[in-house]
């Protein structure tokens, strides 16, 4: 079932600024306009092609294009809110400037690269009084809404423990965390922070209790020189081992000889567009022959872990184990929730509830949410988040917004504690990384 058409707001449209027109910033901007309640009045993006193409698509006024967020905010354009989707380590400064102008913020996660940055965001929000909503889109999916409804109704009694898997996907991991922008901690953030803040936050939202302590294990096991196949060279376009390598950039991005070039998968086509906005086989081949996405996964400069396990103990006694791994076929997250009176399995648009007393299993289908716009992801979560935020700005009703900065900072503290636990081989208390009031 497709998403319903947007409902136009009878009043004037909400005016929005966009700081960062990469994949996520552009997706949120499109979704905001698609609500029928918003218009984009300013876009700041250093890459001219991305800036101009998004502006042309969404009808941004001529005076609303900027090469950086500083110039955009210094212009003091009349606006009702701002989407901040700059690189992970570059969130605090535009947030501070937006807070100084009194703009409500929609902030991409991770909100900051360390606990000090999170504490600064908390201070800025507290002193300015602005509203800050974080893009924890998994909170806004129809699947999450149904799951919370079942748990609240006591479908399995008291929640005792949870098992959750994030199957990143072998080719997705190779793109983002071996060849791409999140491959090195010193240039972006740890893998757990960059990819899995979603999941850590979602677990707390579903369990409904505050996380108190964590342990964690993980390492970079496979994407290393000693794991390279015999004969491998530094780039896929001239590698003798490429035809037998599942991580071949030619196969992943559809630049190989048919049937080697995998072009039918919409997700892979999306990543191919990131590699080469030119859109031709020749330009894609050139991008792989010269750019970062054509590098051999065994001889890149990556250092983030390729698999990690996090164990979380909650205040109410619930425990959760969370696994993120590169070594899967890309697919939906999978969750099992074990309760005092039953068990729930969550996978691929379906929630199954097994009742211990009756011995019956009931399957609940989740309404399908096919993407309607380019870049829309997360089983309807992107759309749900943006719809809730824009509606709040337009009507002053914030009841649909369930991912404020305060909740997000708890989730970030869990991630920082997990990284500390992994490095120290210890159990770490979450409060050590929580911002102080």
């Amino acid at each position: 079932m497709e998403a319903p058409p947007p409902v136009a707001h009878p009043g004037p449209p909400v005016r929005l600024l966009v700081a960062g027109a990469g994949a996520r910033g552009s997706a949120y901007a499109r979704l905001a306009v698609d609500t029928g309640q918003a218009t984009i009045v300013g876009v700041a993006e250093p890459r001219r092609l991305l800036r101009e193409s998004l502006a042309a698509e969404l009808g941004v006024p001529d005076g609303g294009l900027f090469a950086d967020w500083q110039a955009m905010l210094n212009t003091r354009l009349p606006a009702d809110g701002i989407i901040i989707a700059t690189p992970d380590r570059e969130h605090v400064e535009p947030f501070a400037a937006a807070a100084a102008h009194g703009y409500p913020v929609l902030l991409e996660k991770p909100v900051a690269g360390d606990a000090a940055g999170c504490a600064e965001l908390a201070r800025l929000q507290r002193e300015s009084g602005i509203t800050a909503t974080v893009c924890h889109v998994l909170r806004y999916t129809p699947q999450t809404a149904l799951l919370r409804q079942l748990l609240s109704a006591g479908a399995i009694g008291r929640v005792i423990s949870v098992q959750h898997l994030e199957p990143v996907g072998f080719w997705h991991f190779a793109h983002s965390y071996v060849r791409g922008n999140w491959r090195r901690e010193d240039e972006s953030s740890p893998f757990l922070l960059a990819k899995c803040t979603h999941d850590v936050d979602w677990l707390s939202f579903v369990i409904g209790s505050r996380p108190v302590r964590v342990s964690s294990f993980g390492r970079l096991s496979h994407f290393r020189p000693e794991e390279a196949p015999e004969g491998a060279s530094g780039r896929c376009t001239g590698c003798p081992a490429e035809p037998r390598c599942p991580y071949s950039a030619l196969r992943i991005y559809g630049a190989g000889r048919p049937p080697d070039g995998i072009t039918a998968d919409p997700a892979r086509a999306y990543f191919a567009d990131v590699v080469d906005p030119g859109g031709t086989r020749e330009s894609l081949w050139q991008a792989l022959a010269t750019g970062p996405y054509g590098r051999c996964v065994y001889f890149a400069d990556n250092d983030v872990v390729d698999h990690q396990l996090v164990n979380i103990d909650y205040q109410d006694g619930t425990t959760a184990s969370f696994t993120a791994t590169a070594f899967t076929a890309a697919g939906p997250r999978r969750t099992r929730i074990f309760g005092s009176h039953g068990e729930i399995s969550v996978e691929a648009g379906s929630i199954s509830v097994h009742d211990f007393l009756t011995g019956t299993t009931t399957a609940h289908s989740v309404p399908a949410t096919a993407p309607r716009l380019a870049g829309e992801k997360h089983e309807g979560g992107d759309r749900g988040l943006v719809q809730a935020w824009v509606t709040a700005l337009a009507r002053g009703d914030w009841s649909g917004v369930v991912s404020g900065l305060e909740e997000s900072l708890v989730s970030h503290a869990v991630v920082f504690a997990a990284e500390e636990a992994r490095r120290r081989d210890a159990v770490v208390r979450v409060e050590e990384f929580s911002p102080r009031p």
Side-chain angles (χ1 to χ4, degrees):
M1 181 173 65
E2 291 189 359
V7 178
H9 177 58
V14 171
R15 302 160 299 177
L16 300 178
L17 306 173
V18 179
R24 303 311 294 145
S26 295
Y28 297 140
R30 293 185 184 104
L31 286 165
V33 172
D34 196 55
T35 66
Q37 302 180 77
T39 184
I40 308 301
V41 297
V43 173
E45 167 58 50
R47 292 165 291 186
R48 182 178 61 83
L49 179 60
L50 292 181
R51 179 174 71 242
E52 293 181 352
S53 62
L54 184 66
E57 176 186 347
L58 300 183
V60 180
D62 291 340
L65 274 65
F66 304 88
D68 55 67
W69 61 262
Q70 293 94 334
M72 181 174 69
L73 292 180
N74 286 340
T75 306
R76 294 181 177 271
L77 292 171
D80 303 298
I82 181 171
I83 299 168
I84 297 180
T86 51
D88 294 351
R89 290 181 176 268
E90 300 174 18
H91 287 172
V92 175
E93 289 188 7
F95 187 96
H101 294 330
Y103 294 140
V105 173
L106 182 67
L107 181 62
E108 177 63 326
K109 58 85 201 159
V111 300
D114 53 31
C118 287
E120 178 64 5
L121 291 174
R123 183 191 69 80
L124 289 165
Q125 184 188 34
R126 184 171 61 250
E127 294 181 357
S128 67
I130 65 164
T131 60
T133 303
V134 180
C135 299
H136 288 302
V137 295
L138 296 184
R139 291 186 175 225
Y140 297 87
T141 68
Q143 180 169 275
T144 298
L146 176 57
L147 177 60
R148 279 168 52 87
Q149 179 182 338
L150 292 168
L151 291 172
S152 178
I156 59 170
R158 177 190 170 194
V159 175
I160 305 295
S161 61
V162 180
Q163 182 184 70
H164 181 65
L165 171 68
E166 158 60 298
V168 179
F170 71 98
W171 57 268
H172 182 178
F173 190 92
H175 170 88
S176 297
Y177 303 101
V178 180
R179 295 173 169 127
N181 294 339
W182 296 274
R183 69 191 184 280
R184 293 185 59 86
E185 290 190 16
D186 60 348
E187 294 181 2
S188 58
S189 60
F191 165 69
L192 191 67
L193 182 65
K195 184 69 176 81
C196 305
T197 316
H198 268 327
D199 301 271
V200 171
D201 177 80
W202 184 82
L203 284 169
S204 293
F205 188 55
V206 168
I207 291 170
S209 182
R210 192 176 184 89
V212 293
R213 58 180 183 161
V214 301
S215 65
S216 183
F217 308 93
R219 58 191 55 85
L220 175 58
S221 293
H222 184 65
F223 300 104
R224 310 165 63 96
E226 57 267 30
E227 296 286 322
E230 184 178 354
S233 62
R235 191 167 286 276
C236 293
T237 48
C239 178
E242 180 273 324
R244 61 182 188 274
C245 179
Y247 302 101
S248 161
L250 307 188
R251 292 177 59 82
I252 289 174
Y253 303 117
R257 297 177 298 277
D260 294 336
I262 305 172
T263 57
D265 187 328
R268 297 198 190 197
Y270 165 78
F271 283 101
D273 289 342
V274 173
V275 174
D276 168 44
T280 69
R281 183 171 291 273
E282 291 73 21
S283 62
L284 177 57
W285 185 275
Q286 180 65 19
L288 296 179
T290 60
Y293 292 101
R295 292 182 295 185
C296 175
V297 294
Y298 301 103
F299 300 115
D301 61 344
N302 57 299
D303 64 8
V304 299
V305 303
D306 53 24
H307 62 116
Q308 189 163 356
L309 168 69
V310 180
N311 299 308
I312 309 174
D313 188 26
Y314 291 84
Q315 196 169 51
D316 67 355
T318 304
T319 57
S321 64
F322 164 52
T323 297
T325 179
F327 308 106
T328 64
R333 293 163 167 87
R334 300 195 282 273
T335 309
R336 297 181 75 183
I337 303 176
F338 310 103
S340 59
H341 288 65
E343 175 184 344
I344 286 180
S345 297
V346 184
E347 183 176 355
S350 177
I351 300 176
S352 296
V353 180
H354 180 78
D355 187 298
F356 293 164
L357 180 62
T358 65
T360 59
T361 299
T362 304
H364 301 265
S365 296
V366 180
T369 54
R372 190 164 68 199
L373 300 178
E376 185 178 350
K377 299 166 68 178
H378 302 109
E379 294 78 46
D382 287 3
R383 179 173 294 276
L385 162 76
V386 175
Q387 179 72 65
W389 185 63
V390 170
T391 297
L393 294 177
R395 304 179 184 176
D397 178 7
W398 290 83
S399 60
V401 176
V402 293
S403 56
L405 180 62
E406 183 177 354
E407 296 92 339
S408 181
L409 293 180
V410 174
S411 302
H412 281 68
V414 175
V415 172
F416 299 139
E419 279 299 287
E420 183 73 6
R422 182 178 71 86
R423 297 176 190 280
R424 282 175 33 201
D425 191 19
V427 176
V428 176
R429 297 194 68 83
V430 175
E431 65 184 11
E432 294 181 28
F433 296 90
S434 300
R436 297 293 185 264

